Amino acid sequence: MSGTFKWLALKAGTALGRSVSSLFYQLIYREIYREINRLTLDATKTVSDAYKLGFLAAEESAERQKGVFRLFPSNPEKILEFVPLMWNIYFGQPMAEYTIEWDRSDPIRPILRYKILIDPMTFDIGKDVVRDNLPWEKLWDGENAYGSMMAGLLTQCSSYVLALRKSDQRITLKNTRISLRGDDYFEFECQIIPKEELPYFQLGDLPVSVHPDSSEHSPDDDSPMNKLWMKITENIDIDLLDKMLDDPTAFLREVLGRGIEKGLKMPALDFLDHFLNDEEKFIQVFGFLEVHIFNEWGQIPEKFFENETFAKICAHQFLLMRKNADKFIPLTLIQETLDYSGDVLEGLASEAFITNLQAISPEKAVELFFLGMEKALTDLGIDFSALKPTLYADLQKEPENEPGSDESLDKDYYALRKEKRQTLTAQLIDHALLLSSVILSFPGQLLLVLAHKVLSGSNELIRSFFTTIRDEGKILFELSEQLKEFSEL
Amino acid sequence: MNSPPSESVESGQEKHSRKELITQKMGFNQMRNSIYILQRYMNQHHLSDKDIRDRLINMGKNIGATFVTQLETSPKDLSLLLRNLYKITVNSKVKVEVVGDSIIVRDSRCSLCKYQYDDISVPGCNIIIAMISEMLIRLGYQVTDQSIVQSKTFGDKLCEHRYVLKEVEQK
């Protein structure tokens, strides 16, 4: 529970919630069991019915906390890691002194056991001889003990999150051990199951709804804010947010990984494995994609290239940039990016792939990038094979004789002059083109440097920002709670 | 059923007592919902509204009887005592007023009542008035009656509880 966003989710989940003395909670819990037992006259059935009651009671509450639950991950194993957070949201205090134990003997239905030493529901039970008189030993239905109502409640809560995140799996919790039956600790057995296996409970045909006129009725689900929140939480969850802050490269890694999975319908590792020992192609793909993605915005480059003259100008400009790449992109920046890519790709690509990628020199990487761009530009209509050596030559019309020249006498002289003039003009055009390209691309270069620095360095800043918010927020929260206590008493 | 604990789990439950729980707070939203689910459950077992109310009162009395054994001080000022009892048990900041022979307690954030339900006609705060009365009785006061004047369960803006005490009648 050290994550900033887990803390924020906890506060969002509990800030508007109502809390009572833990002793009142323990005693009303006892009394609910007493009343159920008075009706069933059967301790086993009491436990089963209490489980259903907890399950149904949490449904309405989960519905109201939908916004917070949307931030939870969709992976059931991750949800199980969040049981202490849910415990904290539901019971208002941290799950204390616990250990966990995985049982994966059934891979379809893995079990995570939380062994919890401190169970406030049982403190001093038995000391009030007159009223602590439930048949504690008999409160066992083969799956659950006295904690069944809590188990039902958390089963609803965790399965609600998975249903909200459109998962095909659900989670059931069972209270399999408790000190009241002689166990040394309280145990929650949390099992991942296919959604079809989740038990279905209902209380007959009785409506379980809030009066529509109630002033506290939950907000309309179709509100623009709710829609926006749904959109955001489709791609972001607490786990990702906390990972972003804990690991400076996690954000890019997650975005890249999810993008590949979403776009190519295959895990990033499988996709990048296609480029193993062919890492040069991988860099070419970036250049290739850059041009095509740019072209996707209205196919403007493709339309311009239909004009032969414009296509030739662009082709020469591209070749000039390629020849003078070091004037556009600092090689040290490329080296840093290659180094940084190793961190980003960790877990997404094999170690061999990363090693090979980082072995490519910055000069080679730039050349490969331009090679990819060239292929894309060819796709869009530029014919590099038909280009003359200079832009000037390409734009020259059919050769004309110098006006008033005497072919017989001055042929060599004029030919030499003409050739020299053409060479100078071609050089002039090339350098003017280069100069204008450098000037025009400066904001782009600046953005490239900034983007690199931001991506590789800003997480430190963001992490520090959120850590401060969390730490100071905690202090403020605790102080305001204390202040409230003092002002009320 | 009982098997040895894992190595990392050690016995330590004995040091935790009910007294410690008085000052700790637990989230109550789901438990509040549970009271209304319990009422529907009782309904399924053919209990009338009066029966349900009696059962909630019984629950409150039992809670009050156990809770009060953990309290050490009791102010002589009745209004202050009531404010303290509401605060200590259900974490409510209430307004207390003596009206004639009764004491009226107003709670705008009743822990057991928040929503108005179509199918519920017994306020959850019956548990609270029974608990507070039981505690007052065990602290030496003579409570002759307690009732709910207003409740959020009925659609009212707040919950209003009325207690009749002999000590107030005699004044």
Side-chain angles (χ1 to χ4, degrees):
Chain A
M1 257 296 294
S2 59
T4 302
F5 285 95
K6 284 193 187 78
W7 181 78
L8 286 173
L10 171 65
K11 288 303 155 203
T14 54
L16 297 174
R18 191 68 171 79
S19 65
V20 297
S21 154
S22 297
L23 179 53
F24 178 76
Y25 192 108
Q26 189 214 58
L27 296 175
I28 201 168
Y29 192 89
R30 179 191 73 187
E31 292 307 312
I32 290 174
Y33 269 78
R34 185 193 309 284
E35 289 306 320
I36 298 173
N37 205 45
R38 276 179 74 186
L39 292 170
T40 61
L41 301 173
D42 174 355
T44 302
K45 184 153 171 44
T46 295
V47 171
S48 301
D49 286 1
Y51 184 90
K52 289 178 198 169
L53 252 65
F55 186 89
L56 291 168
E59 185 176 13
E60 191 185 63
S61 202
E63 192 66 32
R64 290 198 196 97
Q65 303 221 21
K66 199 186 264 186
V68 176
F69 285 145
R70 276 193 195 287
L71 269 176
F72 279 64
S74 52
N75 180 337
E77 290 206 9
K78 285 273 171 208
I79 293 285
L80 289 187
E81 289 173 21
F82 277 66
V83 167
L85 177 65
M86 287 189 222
W87 171 292
N88 206 341
I89 288 177
Y90 273 78
F91 303 125
Q93 64 175 28
M95 185 190 274
E97 292 186 37
Y98 67 91
T99 55
I100 56 169
E101 178 188 280
W102 273 104
D103 174 359
R104 295 181 188 276
S105 49
D106 179 353
I108 308 289
R109 296 169 189 79
I111 294 170
L112 178 61
R113 291 190 181 89
Y114 277 93
K115 299 167 190 283
I116 306 155
L117 258 188
I118 298 175
D119 167 23
M121 293 295 99
T122 60
F123 288 2
D124 274 350
I125 287 255
K127 283 211 170 167
D128 182 344
V129 183
V130 181
R131 279 156 289 267
D132 289 335
N133 56 352
L134 294 181
W136 309 111
E137 287 277 338
K138 292 180 184 168
L139 288 173
W140 172 251
D141 68 358
E143 290 188 324
N144 276 293
Y146 182 57
S148 67
M149 197 158 85
M150 283 194 280
L153 200 146
L154 287 173
T155 292
Q156 171 69 265
C157 175
S158 51
S159 289
Y160 185 90
V161 171
L162 291 174
L164 203 62
R165 306 289 276 163
K166 296 186 171 57
S167 167
D168 289 333
Q169 290 162 302
R170 298 290 182 269
I171 289 167
T172 57
L173 280 91
K174 290 167 191 165
N175 169 219
T176 40
R177 289 173 194 273
I178 195 161
S179 60
L180 295 172
R181 301 190 71 239
D183 296 316
D184 293 311
Y185 53 91
F186 180 98
E187 183 178 83
F188 264 145
E189 189 178 281
C190 317
Q191 187 167 29
I192 296 169
I193 54 165
K195 70 174 178 186
E196 299 77 24
E197 292 176 18
L198 184 72
Y200 176 72
F201 304 121
Q202 65 173 70
L203 278 174
D205 297 326
L206 293 171
V208 189
S209 60
V210 176
H211 192 287
D213 296 334
S214 175
S215 57
E216 310 271 6
H217 201 253
S218 57
D220 186 5
D221 254 4
D222 291 332
S223 66
M225 272 309 285
N226 193 50
K227 281 182 181 168
L228 176 67
W229 186 237
M230 280 173 71
K231 200 77 201 158
I232 291 170
T233 50
E234 266 175 30
N235 297 303
I236 290 176
D237 59 49
I238 305 173
D239 209 39
L240 170 62
L241 291 169
D242 274 332
K243 257 202 251 173
M244 276 166 57
L245 294 183
D246 291 344
D247 176 358
T249 53
F251 176 66
L252 262 186
R253 188 183 303 127
E254 285 289 332
V255 168
L256 193 63
R258 287 177 185 213
I260 290 172
E261 275 206 51
K262 207 171 175 177
L264 303 171
K265 313 275 183 237
M266 67 166 85
L269 198 64
D270 291 355
F271 170 70
L272 293 173
D273 213 36
H274 289 299
F275 293 97
L276 184 61
N277 299 323
D278 203 5
E279 289 75 14
E280 293 190 354
K281 277 258 170 54
F282 181 70
I283 297 177
Q284 283 184 42
V285 167
F286 277 99
F288 183 83
L289 285 178
E290 189 192 76
V291 174
H292 275 293
I293 288 168
F294 183 58
N295 187 56
E296 277 305 301
W297 296 337
Q299 277 82 43
I300 293 168
E302 200 171 359
K303 279 175 190 142
F304 272 123
F305 297 158
E306 286 171 9
N307 179 309
E308 198 186 338
T309 309
F310 188 81
K312 282 178 180 169
I313 293 172
C314 283
H316 279 282
Q317 190 167 13
F318 169 78
L319 292 174
L320 259 173
M321 287 174 77
R322 184 172 169 178
K323 197 172 154 189
N324 299 279
D326 58 336
K327 291 187 174 66
F328 294 94
I329 312 166
L331 290 176
T332 48
L333 189 70
I334 300 297
Q335 185 62 60
E336 279 180 30
T337 306
L338 283 170
D339 294 342
Y340 183 54
S341 67
D343 294 335
V344 174
L345 293 173
E346 199 183 315
L348 293 180
S350 62
E351 266 184 50
F353 176 89
I354 295 171
T355 308
N356 293 347
L357 188 71
Q358 289 183 323
I360 296 171
S361 71
E363 293 86 351
K364 182 75 182 167
V366 171
E367 176 57 26
L368 291 165
F369 185 78
F370 276 106
L371 200 63
M373 283 181 80
E374 187 183 324
K375 284 181 179 164
L377 288 169
T378 307
D379 285 349
L380 298 183
I382 292 180
D383 182 3
F384 286 95
S385 63
L387 284 185
K388 291 179 181 169
T390 64
L391 176 62
Y392 178 76
D394 255 323
L395 297 179
Q396 242 336 9
K397 289 177 184 169
E398 287 302 310
E400 290 173 11
N401 289 331
E402 289 286 318
S405 63
D406 182 341
E407 281 189 32
S408 59
L409 289 175
D410 304 319
K411 189 178 173 183
D412 289 345
Y413 170 75
Y414 284 114
L416 277 171
R417 273 179 62 92
K418 191 177 162 186
E419 197 178 316
K420 186 70 183 168
R421 195 173 64 212
Q422 282 176 345
T423 308
L424 288 171
T425 310
Q427 284 179 354
L428 186 77
I429 290 172
D430 282 355
H431 283 279
L433 211 55
L434 185 61
L435 183 64
S436 67
S437 297
V438 169
I439 292 168
L440 288 174
S441 68
F442 182 69
Q445 291 178 54
L446 206 60
L447 276 177
L448 188 69
V449 173
L450 273 175
H452 174 82
K453 291 295 169 198
V454 165
L455 289 174
S456 59
S458 69
N459 270 47
E460 195 57 43
L461 191 72
I462 296 168
R463 193 169 45 188
S464 151
F465 173 73
F466 278 106
T467 305
T468 308
I469 284 183
R470 181 190 60 198
D471 294 347
E472 292 305 311
K474 272 181 183 166
I475 293 169
L476 276 176
F477 189 81
E478 279 158 18
L479 283 174
S480 70
E481 286 290 298
Q482 285 176 30
L483 203 61
K484 223 160 70 180
E485 292 288 319
F486 276 100
S487 68
E488 283 172 356
L489 282 175
Chain B
M1 165 61 199
N2 304 337
S3 63
S6 67
E7 284 177 21
S8 53
V9 177
E10 292 162 12
S11 179
Q13 198 103 317
E14 301 79 40
K15 64 183 174 183
H16 299 292
S17 66
R18 278 181 169 151
K19 211 173 277 294
E20 283 179 49
L21 294 179
I22 294 176
T23 49
Q24 288 180 19
K25 300 282 186 292
M26 286 179 90
F28 198 66
N29 295 17
Q30 287 67 41
M31 197 51 76
R32 180 187 60 225
N33 292 343
S34 303
I35 293 301
Y36 293 96
I37 299 285
L38 177 67
Q39 285 199 37
R40 293 180 180 109
Y41 179 78
M42 289 174 167
N43 224 317
Q44 277 195 317
H45 284 78
H46 312 295
L47 295 192
S48 66
D49 279 355
K50 185 188 173 301
D51 291 337
I52 292 173
R53 182 182 175 278
D54 288 347
R55 297 227 170 184
L56 296 190
I57 294 282
N58 190 54
M59 288 170 72
K61 279 185 178 175
N62 283 335
I63 295 169
T66 307
F67 204 118
V68 78
T69 60
Q70 305 299 317
L71 296 180
E72 284 168 359
T73 57
S74 55
K76 290 194 174 131
D77 180 311
L78 191 55
S79 295
L80 183 59
L81 174 62
L82 275 166
R83 289 212 316 260
N84 281 355
L85 290 179
Y86 269 84
K87 180 69 187 157
I88 291 166
T89 54
V90 289
N91 197 23
S92 273
K93 189 182 176 185
V94 296
K95 286 180 180 155
V96 179
E97 192 184 350
V98 179
V99 180
D101 63 349
S102 308
I103 290 186
I104 302 293
V105 176
R106 294 189 183 89
D107 188 351
S108 57
R109 287 193 75 215
C110 178
S111 60
L112 279 164
C113 307
K114 191 174 180 184
Y115 303 105
Q116 185 186 1
Y117 297 95
D118 286 333
D119 58 325
I120 296 288
S121 50
V122 182
C125 57
N126 273 298
I127 294 173
I128 295 177
I129 59 167
M131 173 185 71
I132 297 290
S133 294
E134 186 67 25
M135 291 172 91
L136 287 172
I137 289 166
R138 286 172 184 264
L139 289 169
Y141 291 89
Q142 297 179 66
V143 183
T144 55
D145 191 24
Q146 75 272 334
S147 58
I148 295 168
V149 183
Q150 294 187 70
S151 172
K152 287 188 167 187
T153 309
F154 300 141
D156 297 321
K157 285 187 175 170
L158 49 78
C159 289
E160 190 175 299
H161 304 157
R162 179 173 167 267
Y163 299 91
V164 182
L165 278 83
K166 278 217 168 141
E167 287 79 358
V168 180
E169 285 177 310
Q170 284 161 8
K171 278 185 184 175

